[in-house]
Amino acid sequence: FRRVRALKRAMELDLGREEVATVIVFLENYVVEHFTAEEAFMKGLKYPELNPHKVEHASFVREFEIFKREFDEKGSSEPFAVKTHDWLKDWLTGHIGKTDRALGLYLRTKP
């Protein structure tokens, strides 16, 4: 969330192009680490929705690879910064607001 807010602030200051590079580097490392840990945690819990959750993670990784490839090939621009911000915001609200929330509810009901 902090990265998305930082990108939004940078865009408001007309510095979004520069901030995108920071976001790309952060995501490249964080996503693998976070998804791996979260999936191992869910596997240990025998979480019944592990496979659909993993599918969402895999989808995010594929979409990220497309963003990264575009960034590597074309560099950043203000429209690319906006597209990146909107994509991340949608992911965070959708995945965390629904999928991760369901995991949280499951954890609360588990003895």
Side-chain angles (χ1 to χ4, degrees), residues 13-14 25 33 41 44 55 67 104:
L13 299 171
D14 202 27
V25 169
E33 179 183 312
F41 176 71
V55 166
F67 270 85

PDB file of all heavy atoms in Angstrom, residues 13-14 25 33 41 44 55 67 104:
ATOM      1  N   LEU A  13       3.035  15.039  -8.327  1.00  0.00           N
ATOM      2  CA  LEU A  13       4.151  15.978  -8.433  1.00  0.00           C
ATOM      3  C   LEU A  13       4.847  15.892  -9.789  1.00  0.00           C
ATOM      4  O   LEU A  13       5.923  16.447  -9.973  1.00  0.00           O
ATOM      5  CB  LEU A  13       5.162  15.708  -7.319  1.00  0.00           C
ATOM      6  CG  LEU A  13       4.650  15.873  -5.895  1.00  0.00           C
ATOM      7  CD1 LEU A  13       5.674  15.364  -4.894  1.00  0.00           C
ATOM      8  CD2 LEU A  13       4.310  17.340  -5.626  1.00  0.00           C
ATOM      9  N   ASP A  14       4.215  15.168 -10.716  1.00  0.00           N
ATOM     10  CA  ASP A  14       4.774  14.960 -12.054  1.00  0.00           C
ATOM     11  C   ASP A  14       6.107  14.213 -11.997  1.00  0.00           C
ATOM     12  O   ASP A  14       7.008  14.460 -12.790  1.00  0.00           O
ATOM     13  CB  ASP A  14       4.917  16.296 -12.790  1.00  0.00           C
ATOM     14  CG  ASP A  14       4.978  16.112 -14.297  1.00  0.00           C
ATOM     15  OD1 ASP A  14       4.428  15.101 -14.793  1.00  0.00           O
ATOM     16  OD2 ASP A  14       5.596  16.953 -14.978  1.00  0.00           O
ATOM     17  N   VAL A  25      11.234  -2.440  -9.284  1.00  0.00           N
ATOM     18  CA  VAL A  25      12.313  -3.131  -8.562  1.00  0.00           C
ATOM     19  C   VAL A  25      11.777  -3.742  -7.268  1.00  0.00           C
ATOM     20  O   VAL A  25      12.079  -4.890  -6.938  1.00  0.00           O
ATOM     21  CB  VAL A  25      13.487  -2.167  -8.280  1.00  0.00           C
ATOM     22  CG1 VAL A  25      14.485  -2.790  -7.321  1.00  0.00           C
ATOM     23  CG2 VAL A  25      14.165  -1.774  -9.576  1.00  0.00           C
ATOM     24  N   GLU A  33       8.959 -13.339  -2.826  1.00  0.00           N
ATOM     25  CA  GLU A  33       9.136 -13.616  -1.396  1.00  0.00           C
ATOM     26  C   GLU A  33       7.789 -13.720  -0.677  1.00  0.00           C
ATOM     27  O   GLU A  33       7.526 -14.667   0.061  1.00  0.00           O
ATOM     28  CB  GLU A  33       9.982 -12.496  -0.781  1.00  0.00           C
ATOM     29  CG  GLU A  33      10.240 -12.617   0.678  1.00  0.00           C
ATOM     30  CD  GLU A  33      11.031 -11.414   1.178  1.00  0.00           C
ATOM     31  OE1 GLU A  33      12.044 -11.045   0.551  1.00  0.00           O
ATOM     32  OE2 GLU A  33      10.631 -10.848   2.213  1.00  0.00           O
ATOM     33  N   PHE A  41       2.422 -20.910   4.097  1.00  0.00           N
ATOM     34  CA  PHE A  41       1.586 -20.750   5.286  1.00  0.00           C
ATOM     35  C   PHE A  41       0.223 -21.407   5.069  1.00  0.00           C
ATOM     36  O   PHE A  41      -0.253 -22.174   5.905  1.00  0.00           O
ATOM     37  CB  PHE A  41       1.433 -19.255   5.596  1.00  0.00           C
ATOM     38  CG  PHE A  41       0.516 -18.940   6.735  1.00  0.00           C
ATOM     39  CD1 PHE A  41       0.875 -19.228   8.040  1.00  0.00           C
ATOM     40  CD2 PHE A  41      -0.714 -18.343   6.500  1.00  0.00           C
ATOM     41  CE1 PHE A  41       0.027 -18.933   9.102  1.00  0.00           C
ATOM     42  CE2 PHE A  41      -1.573 -18.046   7.539  1.00  0.00           C
ATOM     43  CZ  PHE A  41      -1.200 -18.334   8.854  1.00  0.00           C
ATOM     44  N   GLY A  44       0.465 -25.179   5.011  1.00  0.00           N
ATOM     45  CA  GLY A  44       0.585 -25.706   6.362  1.00  0.00           C
ATOM     46  C   GLY A  44      -0.741 -25.743   7.102  1.00  0.00           C
ATOM     47  O   GLY A  44      -0.973 -26.619   7.942  1.00  0.00           O
ATOM     48  N   VAL A  55      -3.636 -19.469  -7.947  1.00  0.00           N
ATOM     49  CA  VAL A  55      -3.952 -19.056  -9.317  1.00  0.00           C
ATOM     50  C   VAL A  55      -3.936 -17.532  -9.417  1.00  0.00           C
ATOM     51  O   VAL A  55      -3.418 -16.964 -10.384  1.00  0.00           O
ATOM     52  CB  VAL A  55      -5.313 -19.651  -9.776  1.00  0.00           C
ATOM     53  CG1 VAL A  55      -5.815 -18.978 -11.039  1.00  0.00           C
ATOM     54  CG2 VAL A  55      -5.188 -21.153  -9.961  1.00  0.00           C
ATOM     55  N   PHE A  67       4.145  -5.963 -17.463  1.00  0.00           N
ATOM     56  CA  PHE A  67       4.495  -4.582 -17.099  1.00  0.00           C
ATOM     57  C   PHE A  67       6.004  -4.387 -17.131  1.00  0.00           C
ATOM     58  O   PHE A  67       6.498  -3.399 -17.662  1.00  0.00           O
ATOM     59  CB  PHE A  67       3.959  -4.239 -15.703  1.00  0.00           C
ATOM     60  CG  PHE A  67       2.578  -3.668 -15.705  1.00  0.00           C
ATOM     61  CD1 PHE A  67       1.473  -4.491 -15.713  1.00  0.00           C
ATOM     62  CD2 PHE A  67       2.382  -2.302 -15.696  1.00  0.00           C
ATOM     63  CE1 PHE A  67       0.195  -3.980 -15.718  1.00  0.00           C
ATOM     64  CE2 PHE A  67       1.110  -1.763 -15.698  1.00  0.00           C
ATOM     65  CZ  PHE A  67       0.017  -2.604 -15.709  1.00  0.00           C
ATOM     66  N   GLY A 104      -8.329 -14.625   6.058  1.00  0.00           N
ATOM     67  CA  GLY A 104      -8.440 -14.108   7.426  1.00  0.00           C
ATOM     68  C   GLY A 104      -9.665 -14.650   8.144  1.00  0.00           C
ATOM     69  O   GLY A 104      -9.590 -15.021   9.319  1.00  0.00           O
TER      70      GLY A 104
END
